[in-house]
Amino acid sequence: MTPTTTPEAMGAAVAIVGMAGRFPGAATTDELWQGLLDGVESVRRFSDEEMAEAGVSPERIASPGRVPRGADLADADLFDAGFFGVTQRDARLMDPQQRVFLTCAWQALEDAGLAANAPGGPVGVFASTSMSTYLLANVLRSAEYADAALTYPVLLGNDKDFLATRVSYKLDLRGPSMTVQSACSSSLTAVHLACQALARGEVRAALAGGVSITFPQTSGYEYQEGGILSRDGHCRVFDAASAGTIKGNGCGVVVLKRLADALEDGDRVYAVIRGTAVNNDGSDKIGFTAPGPQGQRAVIKAAVEASGVPAAHVGYVETHGTGTVVGDPLELQALSAAYEEAGGPAPDCAIGSLKANVGHLDAAAGVTGLIKAALALYHQKVPRQINYDTPNPHLRLDDRPYTVPTETVEHSPAAPLRAAAVSSFGLGGTNAHAVLAAPPVRQEPPAGQPGIPYPVVLSARDAEALADQARALRALLDTPEPPAVRDIAYTLFTGRPLLPVRHVFTAATHDELRAGLDALLAGAPANSALPDTGWVHGPALKTSLPGYPFRQERHWIEPTPRADAVAAAPADTPAAGAAQTLTTAAGAAVAPDMADDDVLERVIELLEQGLGMDQIAPDDDFYELGGDSLLAVEMVTALRSIFDIALDVDEFARLRTPDEMAAQIRAARSGTAAERSGITPVRDGEGTPVYLVPPAGGTNFLYFRLADQMAPGAPLRALSFPSDPALRPGTLRELAALYVEWIRREQPQGPYRLGGYSFGGNVVFEMALQLQRSGETVERLVMLDAHVPETYVAGHLDEEEFQAVFPVLFEAAAVRGVDPEMLREQGFLDVWQHNHDLLKGYYPDRRFEGDLVLLQAEEPEGDALLDALRMNPRDKSVWGAHITGHLLVDKVPGDHFSMFDEGDRIARLGAALGAALAQSDQEG
């Protein structure tokens, strides 16, 4: 090991264990590195046609000061919305910067072999972004969303505040999550904050990085004498012909862990961050936007001192290096002074800046420089500096120990590159500097016993993606030196999240691994049974494996010239974005006497508007297209208004296609719709049906989502909460009696199977007692995280008090993308309060004779909501005192609300519910 890995050094050292990014001319960090070694300049010339498409007028294109060059990012309009659970509408509204950053965050975790839900502590997110020019240039200039800047969907998709928190939400990361903004130094400042969080023990790992994509990308720019942008469209850092920088577009993300943890986990370490510092120039400079040499000097000195790395070990510095005639000399002056005070850098210390290759990446510049420096240490190579011929005389390189490499410098074991540094200085004066050391020598674990089979776990969102993963892994095995089977299995088992579609097999050799993959690709039945225990096969190393095969599609809003935006808006849809909801659009759009032949067309139109997509087919599935319960509420309200029919959310939930919706509407209008029984089919099946009771909100939408995650089995039926307030029972026992009456109409005799989530669990418990009292058998009783009755023995809340609680309830339930007032207006608040009152007045009068299955959330709800509702939380094991049999508890990930989150959580909840019901089948 190198001297930087002594126990004392490891205590504060931070390992870079994963990275991902997209850059001009490079779709990955590997491609970026190869481009740097090859001396690729990814700045290109834009054609007149490209500039015209970007909205540049013919006069401006022909202007002699026009510089038709830039470093654009390919495929910035593409995104796998389905993978991340984003509706088509929200994907179109979302700033591509946020879409790209979210994707790169996932890929960085994959590169690190870090599963978000793995044990060990929370993962933080520290992220930076540039201003949303997509909002200004596209969204607000479109006919559809003109003047919609303050609507929820537009704000959530484009405001900087939601960059980091969206990643935490979508990837289920529980550490600190914050957007960090300090102009060009933002992402290196984010790295600094992430290192501090690691040092304090707040997180076990952190994502840090930034993104900057300016739209339109291909407009070029107008050169201004004395400005920061280059006269000729090339960035010539350190060169005598320096004339400014060039705008680049890209994204970079790193995954950081404490070095000691990284070594213990067998992580691949690119480099070790030994010290960082951040400061501001204050007023010690000639202007707000001017560089501050004294501030730069101070931050560099502070970082070197914090690192404990001898200054003489630093053999490469990735400078801020913008290629400006004044900025570069001032930066080198500060750099030289700071390192001289610390003892001087290594002789002939190389300096460089990748802005010459990919342009100035603004909020992503610092982290991209960090990635370059880390890869230089990892590969022991310093790429050559392009666009450099004659040194800028103001740099005084003859008097300073710095060199600008014109050829790639390869270091040897005898003369290694021991340390490197990165500078990033923000417009406005926030300066950041980081000192990195080479990674420790990776120690191979002791060889295990020959022939030990390792579990190989592949998972994806669907069968097609699973097959793509198998093909990519199969191709890796055909490379000259594939990773060890042990390391492949370890990385898949511990470093990748479990997705709904899985295939598991064992392999001890590369040939067995190939055979297992070939069998899957040949159509062998998938085996989804996971090993009973965690990784118990001895030490192993994380290794690089193919990433998830995203299916990227274009999501884009085309701008309309501002003067024409309102005029171009459809006549039946207000141009103001505040009215861009199905509810308001439905108001006076269509007369109730619409011809039956036009019903389907109008339903599809509404779905396309709500989902933000075109060409929905009559047999497309609402849920597979991205529909959710909140959009269902809007659809139900709109359909009621347009067609003057009675329709509730539970009814709508079973209408999966536009054809089915249109048929229901026609039947309701003609009076031929079947009379509601109070019971809604969730799915067909064989055997004894399972009756499910809704939670306090009164809707069964979540049961339809759960059914999609369950293996085929018994029929599922959902009991509907009475929609007419006048018919709602006044006590929980009366509600249970009403539900018992309904199910006995369908199934006159037992055995019965009952299930319910939250409030619904308490109701099914009382239903079970009533059925047993009448002599019937209840063979299965399943609760989804229902509180014990003792929790509710407290004071009631009056209407005004419950109104005040509603925002807390709304926040705890993590309802995204909808105005709380809409739910209030749709009656959810009234139903929730009514059912909460029922709970406060109920306590069982006897014990249930039999077993009870409890699917319990692993995480607590939080005290804020429980206190506001005057609930006294008790351990859910108290349910055991209310039954004569066994309390069978199965823990599921998430809390009371997030256990239904898309992805692994709802998949595991669905599997647990299916297993509980399947056990009943086996016993029968």
Side-chain angles (χ1 to χ4, degrees):
M1 289 192 177
T2 67
T4 60
T5 57
T6 62
E8 295 79 7
M10 285 199 299
V14 171
I16 301 175
V17 298
M19 58 177 64
R22 289 175 56 188
F23 314 94
T28 65
T29 54
D30 286 343
E31 291 183 12
L32 172 70
W33 178 248
Q34 190 59 51
L36 295 174
L37 293 178
D38 294 341
V40 174
E41 182 181 21
S42 295
V43 179
R44 69 181 184 91
R45 181 184 179 87
F46 305 132
S47 68
D48 289 357
E49 290 76 14
E50 287 178 306
M51 288 189 286
E53 290 176 2
V56 183
S57 67
E59 295 77 17
R60 292 170 63 196
I61 292 174
S63 168
R66 195 78 192 169
V67 181
R69 294 180 62 82
D72 57 323
L73 184 71
D75 299 329
D77 55 344
L78 304 184
F79 178 56
D80 191 340
F83 178 84
F84 290 107
V86 178
T87 67
Q88 299 289 312
R89 179 191 69 173
D90 288 347
R92 292 175 65 242
L93 277 173
M94 193 186 301
D95 184 357
Q97 294 183 115
Q98 302 212 19
R99 304 188 320 218
V100 169
F101 189 87
L102 174 60
T103 304
C104 288
W106 173 277
Q107 293 170 327
L109 289 175
E110 280 188 325
D111 187 56
L114 177 63
N117 56 2
V123 177
V125 182
F126 302 83
S128 309
T129 182
S130 297
M131 179 176 64
S132 178
T133 52
Y134 178 72
L135 172 67
L136 301 177
N138 292 63
V139 177
L140 299 184
R141 289 186 57 199
S142 69
E144 190 177 3
Y145 293 99
D147 302 319
L150 298 181
T151 60
Y152 255 60
V154 173
L155 279 174
L156 291 175
N158 291 273
D159 195 280
K160 292 179 178 182
D161 285 0
F162 308 111
L163 174 72
T165 51
R166 175 174 282 108
V167 172
S168 296
Y169 174 63
K170 289 297 183 182
L171 304 190
D172 190 23
L173 308 178
R174 302 305 179 93
S177 185
M178 62 187 72
T179 303
V180 180
Q181 296 302 141
S182 60
C184 325
S185 61
S186 294
S187 55
L188 195 59
T189 300
V191 169
H192 168 75
L193 295 176
C195 291
Q196 289 187 328
L198 284 161
R200 290 192 297 267
E202 294 179 354
V203 293
R204 69 181 172 96
L207 283 162
V211 61
S212 179
I213 313 172
T214 301
F215 299 99
Q217 291 196 81
T218 59
S219 59
Y221 58 92
E222 198 74 18
Y223 173 71
Q224 294 180 330
E225 189 67 38
I228 192 174
L229 294 176
S230 168
R231 179 187 296 108
D232 62 0
H234 296 277
C235 182
R236 306 180 187 278
V237 184
F238 310 133
D239 194 80
S242 296
T245 193
I246 194 83
K247 177 68 179 80
N249 297 277
C251 176
V253 185
V254 294
V255 180
L256 308 176
K257 293 173 73 173
R258 288 177 289 272
L259 177 60
D261 293 342
L263 296 177
E264 181 179 352
D265 294 342
D267 293 332
R268 181 236 355 256
V269 177
Y270 288 105
V272 180
I273 301 176
R274 292 290 308 279
T276 63
V278 170
N279 73 358
N280 192 276
D281 298 328
S283 60
D284 189 15
K285 53 185 180 180
I286 61 173
F288 177 66
T289 62
Q294 296 306 316
Q296 294 176 13
R297 176 178 177 176
V299 80
I300 294 169
K301 181 181 178 182
V304 174
E305 290 177 350
S307 73
V309 173
H313 287 186
V314 177
Y316 175 67
V317 179
E318 174 68 14
T319 67
H320 184 63
T322 56
T324 58
V325 69
V326 175
D328 289 355
L330 288 177
E331 178 180 357
L332 198 60
Q333 173 189 331
L335 181 72
S336 300
Y339 273 91
E340 285 173 7
E341 291 177 20
D348 297 324
C349 176
I351 56 175
S353 171
L354 52 57
K355 291 180 178 64
N357 302 85
V358 297
H360 190 351
L361 300 187
D362 192 58
V367 72
T368 306
L370 181 77
I371 289 171
K372 176 186 174 183
L375 291 175
L377 288 164
Y378 184 73
H379 294 290
Q380 288 292 294
K381 296 179 181 179
V382 176
R384 69 184 181 92
Q385 184 65 34
I386 67 169
N387 296 342
Y388 175 79
D389 297 310
T390 304
N392 182 339
H394 299 294
L395 295 175
R396 295 171 47 206
L397 288 178
D398 292 341
D399 300 332
R400 290 174 173 150
Y402 296 103
T403 61
V404 181
T406 55
E407 297 294 336
T408 295
V409 178
E410 299 197 23
H411 288 265
S412 66
L417 178 63
R418 292 186 285 185
V422 185
S423 290
S424 189
F425 307 136
L427 201 69
T430 295
N431 308 303
H433 191 76
V435 178
L436 287 64
V441 176
R442 205 174 195 200
Q443 303 293 338
E444 282 288 332
Q449 297 179 2
I452 291 181
Y454 297 100
V456 180
V457 181
L458 299 176
S459 71
R461 283 183 60 89
D462 53 52
E464 182 182 350
L466 189 74
D468 288 342
Q469 284 191 317
R471 292 187 190 93
L473 187 55
R474 185 66 175 78
L476 176 66
L477 295 176
D478 291 337
T479 57
E481 296 183 9
V485 174
R486 172 201 63 196
D487 297 343
I488 292 174
Y490 177 63
T491 304
L492 290 172
F493 191 93
T494 66
R496 298 290 169 91
L498 284 173
L499 300 174
V501 180
R502 303 163 185 170
H503 182 59
V504 182
F505 63 97
T506 60
T509 66
H510 284 116
D511 285 341
E512 291 180 5
L513 182 52
R514 292 186 184 95
L517 295 170
D518 289 343
L520 173 62
L521 293 171
N527 170 33
S528 60
L530 296 171
D532 293 333
T533 58
W535 183 264
V536 294
H537 297 270
L541 298 177
K542 300 282 180 65
T543 189
S544 294
L545 296 178
Y548 192 86
F550 290 117
R551 290 201 283 272
Q552 308 264 26
E553 296 179 350
R554 190 170 195 259
H555 302 278
W556 200 251
I557 294 176
E558 293 291 351
T560 301
R562 186 66 179 175
D564 302 332
V566 175
D572 62 345
T573 305
Q580 294 302 316
T581 64
L582 297 178
T583 304
T584 55
V590 181
D593 58 354
M594 170 190 285
D596 280 353
D597 291 344
D598 297 327
V599 169
L600 177 60
E601 180 180 347
R602 183 55 172 149
V603 168
I604 290 176
E605 181 183 341
L606 283 170
L607 286 172
E608 289 178 342
Q609 180 185 344
L611 291 165
M613 59 193 307
D614 298 325
Q615 299 181 332
I616 293 178
D619 59 351
D620 281 344
D621 189 292
F622 173 73
Y623 308 107
E624 292 178 1
L625 294 174
D628 57 22
S629 58
L630 297 177
L631 181 56
V633 172
E634 291 191 54
M635 283 292 299
V636 167
T637 305
L639 294 174
R640 286 175 185 163
S641 174
I642 292 172
F643 297 107
D644 192 25
I645 59 171
L647 182 69
D648 62 34
V649 174
D650 282 353
E651 241 181 328
F652 181 84
R654 66 182 177 83
L655 306 173
R656 302 187 71 107
T657 68
D659 267 338
E660 293 174 351
M661 297 173 195
Q664 177 68 22
I665 292 167
R666 295 187 191 105
R669 295 175 70 195
S670 65
T672 60
E675 184 178 348
R676 292 291 308 278
S677 67
I679 300 177
T680 302
V682 175
R683 76 166 187 194
D684 296 328
E686 297 182 358
T688 305
V690 180
Y691 292 97
L692 302 169
V693 173
T699 66
N700 287 297
F701 207 90
L702 54 87
Y703 293 136
F704 286 85
R705 293 171 55 211
L706 269 182
D708 289 339
Q709 305 293 329
M710 298 167 62
L716 299 181
R717 315 277 283 162
L719 296 155
S720 298
F721 188 76
S723 57
D724 186 347
L727 301 178
R728 292 171 187 167
T731 69
L732 189 143
R733 283 190 175 86
E734 292 174 356
L735 178 62
L738 177 64
Y739 284 160
V740 166
E741 178 186 345
W742 288 357
I743 65 174
R744 296 190 76 171
R745 289 177 190 166
E746 283 199 351
Q747 185 188 336
Q749 294 180 326
Y752 292 98
R753 299 182 183 181
L754 307 175
Y757 162 53
S758 190
F759 164 79
N762 296 81
V763 176
V764 297
F765 189 84
E766 174 59 28
M767 292 169 62
L769 295 182
Q770 294 183 17
L771 285 166
Q772 286 186 339
R773 187 179 291 115
S774 65
E776 295 292 351
T777 299
V778 178
E779 71 173 10
R780 182 57 82 197
L781 182 58
V782 183
M783 292 183 180
L784 283 70
D785 207 51
H787 284 290
V788 296
E790 287 80 0
T791 297
Y792 299 100
V793 179
H796 286 261
L797 280 73
D798 61 28
E799 183 175 353
E800 183 177 344
E801 289 172 325
F802 201 86
Q803 290 268 354
V805 170
F806 190 58
V808 182
L809 179 64
F810 190 81
E811 177 66 24
V815 180
R816 303 297 201 277
V818 65
D819 189 334
E821 286 304 313
M822 188 193 79
L823 295 184
R824 192 189 303 269
E825 292 166 3
Q826 299 304 318
F828 283 94
L829 175 62
D830 293 338
V831 172
W832 222 317
Q833 181 179 0
H834 176 273
N835 290 337
H836 186 73
D837 286 342
L838 297 190
L839 286 169
K840 288 294 184 76
Y842 171 74
Y843 195 85
D845 59 3
R846 57 184 294 183
R847 291 199 293 172
F848 171 70
E849 298 175 5
D851 297 339
L852 168 61
V853 178
L854 175 64
L855 307 183
Q856 183 177 347
E858 291 178 339
E859 303 169 14
E861 289 171 63
D863 295 334
L865 176 60
L866 299 178
D867 289 346
L869 290 172
R870 296 182 189 169
M871 294 167 61
N872 298 309
R874 299 288 188 271
D875 193 285
K876 293 185 176 69
S877 63
V878 175
W879 276 116
H882 292 278
I883 61 176
T884 63
H886 298 288
L887 177 63
L888 308 173
V889 178
D890 190 357
K891 295 289 185 71
V892 293
D895 62 26
H896 189 74
F897 299 104
S898 66
M899 58 196 277
F900 289 93
D901 282 355
E902 291 297 336
D904 183 59
R905 290 191 173 183
I906 194 170
R908 291 177 62 180
L909 180 60
L913 179 58
L917 300 177
Q919 182 67 27
S920 174
D921 290 331
Q922 294 168 8
E923 293 171 355

